[in-house]
Amino acid sequence: MIRPLSKINDTAKAISKGEFDKRVDIDSEDEIGKLANSFNYMADTLKNLENMRRNFIADVSHELRSPMTSINGFISGMLDGTIPMEKWTKYLEIVHDEIKRLIRLINDLLDLASLESGEFSLKIGIFDINELIRQRIIKFEDKINKKKINVNVYLIEKE
């Protein structure tokens, strides 16, 4: 009885050090075998969570690096004279858009952290989706017109 428990203990220590591929190799139908199966299931779950965490960090790093690289390139070009002064407004607008993109990404990360910690609460209620769509179209009207996009919206009145 001591040997199987010792195996579980050793495997638990290995997993706690980040060795997520370790499993307990106990083949029995008694309580120790059931404990080993549960332990292995937990280890699989931890490994999957760790893989998801690593992928998430890689994705976030990429999403943050892209606008930072763009901003750095444009500002460096302005400072070293590669971008002439008469084009600065154009490139500052791009930098401004990239900064807004970064702010949105960081706010999304903060929202995720709030969700994960249980601090984020949903405000469930009734709202008029037609009004929300109308407001968004008005908000993006300049961009829509600038890109010469034809937008047709048909809102259905609630009965």
Side-chain angles (χ1 to χ4, degrees):
M1 182 176 235
I2 300 286
R3 179 174 277 157
L5 290 176
S6 213
K7 283 182 179 180
I8 292 172
N9 189 39
D10 291 344
T11 306
K13 287 178 183 175
I15 289 173
S16 73
K17 292 177 184 172
E19 298 177 43
F20 293 104
D21 289 327
K22 297 287 185 185
R23 297 295 177 273
V24 179
D25 185 26
I26 298 174
D27 189 28
S28 69
E29 300 295 322
D30 61 3
E31 284 77 17
I32 298 293
K34 289 178 183 175
L35 176 63
N37 286 335
S38 293
F39 184 88
N40 287 338
Y41 178 78
M42 178 195 68
D44 289 338
T45 303
L46 285 171
K47 182 180 178 184
N48 289 338
L49 283 171
E50 179 62 14
N51 287 337
M52 286 173 51
R53 184 189 70 80
R54 285 182 182 167
N55 288 336
F56 178 75
I57 289 171
D59 290 345
V60 167
S61 297
H62 174 75
E63 288 297 320
L64 291 173
R65 182 182 296 141
S66 296
M68 294 298 288
T69 301
S70 176
I71 290 167
N72 185 51
F74 291 133
I75 290 177
S76 294
M78 294 167 91
L79 291 173
D80 69 14
T82 305
I83 298 174
M85 211 178 233
E86 60 271 7
K87 291 187 178 183
W88 280 18
T89 301
K90 173 187 173 185
Y91 288 100
L92 284 174
E93 286 174 0
I94 295 170
V95 167
H96 185 252
D97 289 342
E98 291 295 288
I99 289 171
K100 288 193 295 189
R101 178 177 167 202
L102 281 171
I103 290 169
R104 281 192 311 272
L105 286 168
I106 291 167
N107 286 338
D108 288 348
L109 287 173
L110 291 171
D111 287 347
L112 279 173
S114 294
L115 276 170
E116 201 169 71
S117 69
E119 295 173 17
F120 191 87
S121 62
L122 294 177
K123 295 175 185 159
I124 299 173
I126 297 171
F127 73 97
D128 186 355
I129 193 150
N130 290 341
E131 180 60 19
L132 179 66
I133 293 168
R134 188 185 70 73
Q135 288 172 0
R136 292 300 161 245
I137 291 170
I138 291 169
K139 179 179 179 180
F140 292 104
E141 186 175 11
D142 287 342
K143 287 184 180 184
I144 291 169
N145 291 336
K146 213 180 260 187
K147 293 186 179 191
K148 297 180 180 168
I149 298 172
N150 185 21
V151 177
N152 294 314
V153 179
Y154 302 98
L155 304 174
I156 299 172
E157 295 280 335
K158 61 182 176 180
E159 296 176 19

